[in-house]
Amino acid sequence: VAMLIGVVITVIVQSSSVTTSALTPLCGIGVLPLAKMLPMTLGANIGTTATALIASLAAFTHDAVHVALCHLFFNIIGILIWFPVPIMRRIPLGAAKLLGLYASYYRGFPAVYVLVAFVAVPGVLLGVSAIFDSSVAGGVVVALLLIAALAGFEFWWLRLGGCFRVLSEEARRERQEALEAADAELGETQQDPQTAL
């Protein structure tokens, strides 16, 4: 149901960014649980393909319809990977909680995350693609070096405690307890509306 709500809202406003941006503050203040926002966001991703589908049908060329259908099926396959299996659903939910935790301590973290995720990583991958175009052997070497660097970072981050150098285990625990207390207080207020007045 939540996924259909996301689809309908996004088809109406023609922007998944508007839908997601409207839901994020509600999630931040605890009105909308994170687990309920995930299907709405996934639905918004499906809804945003409606614009491309309508435009492709207006142009009605093979390439336009092809690209619009690729956009639609890319989002559907993403949903089939991340949503139906509860274990897989925990990955984006855990990542969202972790990003929120870091953002609550470091105000500049969201900007850094956006720059890394949407500028640096695509730029590096585009560079690797260009290296492959000029030399397959060079591209393979650079790709293997990048994979080794990523594996080394993950090992340091997860196994050697690198994540606790960014934010200590004690600080994580304190913030989690504060969040649980705020959620409990919000739950009490929602159950008894008279106490909110």
Side-chain angles (χ1 to χ4, degrees):
V1 174
M3 201 175 295
L4 288 175
I5 291 171
V7 170
V8 170
I9 290 172
T10 305
V11 168
I12 291 170
V13 298
Q14 294 293 304
S15 171
S16 61
S17 298
V18 170
T19 304
T20 305
S21 298
L23 295 174
T24 300
L26 297 175
C27 215
I29 62 173
V31 173
L32 180 66
L34 199 56
K36 294 288 184 192
M37 184 172 171
L38 177 63
M40 291 178 135
T41 303
L42 295 174
N45 286 341
I46 294 293
T48 197
T49 64
T51 306
L53 286 169
I54 292 168
S56 73
L57 292 176
F60 209 69
T61 64
H62 179 269
D63 290 341
V65 174
H66 187 206
V67 169
L69 288 175
C70 284
H71 187 208
L72 173 66
F73 286 114
F74 177 83
N75 285 307
I76 289 173
I77 291 169
I79 288 172
L80 292 175
I81 291 171
W82 295 109
F83 192 71
V85 181
I87 291 172
M88 293 300 290
R89 205 176 307 157
R90 287 187 214 152
I91 295 172
L93 291 174
K97 288 177 185 176
L98 184 63
L99 290 173
L101 175 69
Y102 286 149
S104 70
Y105 275 96
Y106 305 111
R107 296 293 178 200
F109 182 78
V112 171
Y113 171 76
V114 167
L115 287 174
V116 168
F118 298 108
V119 177
V121 170
V124 167
L125 294 177
L126 187 62
V128 170
S129 174
I131 292 171
F132 266 106
D133 284 343
S134 63
S135 167
V136 174
V140 169
V141 168
V142 172
L144 290 175
L145 287 174
L146 283 174
I147 291 169
L150 180 63
F153 175 78
E154 287 293 319
F155 183 77
W156 172 78
W157 187 258
L158 298 172
R159 300 287 182 212
L160 299 179
C163 60
F164 297 122
R165 292 187 184 167
V166 174
L167 191 60
S168 71
E169 193 169 2
E170 180 181 308
R172 291 168 190 260
R173 191 171 28 255
E174 287 174 7
R175 189 56 59 115
Q176 184 63 32
E177 290 169 0
L179 180 63
E180 288 171 1
D183 285 346
E185 183 180 313
L186 183 65
E188 291 171 6
T189 304
Q190 287 178 346
Q191 289 176 0
D192 186 12
Q194 292 298 330
T195 60
L197 300 175

